[in-house]
Amino acid sequence: QVQLVESGGGLVQAGGSLRLSCAASGRTFSIPTMGWFRQAPGKERDFVAAISWSGRTRYQDSVKGRFTISRDNTKNTVYLQANSLKPEDTAVYHCAVLRNYDSHEYTYWGQGTQVTVSS
């Protein structure tokens, strides 16, 4: 079992920045790829970014150049640096353990952290 706990969300004005964190505990040696997803009220869950154990990354087109995913394997923590935030970035952001680097299927899911961007 793996437990994921997100933090770092909040209320920010458009153009601002937030740094989200996701701390993993439990069977963390089995986590090759982690990702971030988001879900706004009334909308489907969206993939945001993923990072492999070695640091290879991929992003949803709408966040490229604004968001950066990173990880510290010594701390079992994944980060999402979100810059130049827009009101349409408002959502609950969840981290997840992905089945593999090219997949959006997940095996573990965190409870989420709210990001609200005001215009």
Side-chain angles (χ1 to χ4, degrees), residues 72-116:
D72 185 337
N73 293 331
T74 65
K75 297 180 179 179
N76 296 316
T77 300
V78 176
Y79 306 96
L80 186 69
Q81 178 67 44
N83 298 331
S84 302
L85 283 161
K86 304 175 182 180
E88 51 264 43
D89 294 319
T90 295
V92 177
Y93 283 69
H94 300 265
C95 71
V97 176
L98 301 183
R99 290 192 179 278
N100 58 64
Y101 179 75
D102 296 309
S103 172
H104 292 174
E105 295 183 7
Y106 58 89
T107 53
Y108 296 99
W109 185 257
Q111 85 290 347
T113 185
Q114 176 71 47
V115 171
T116 303

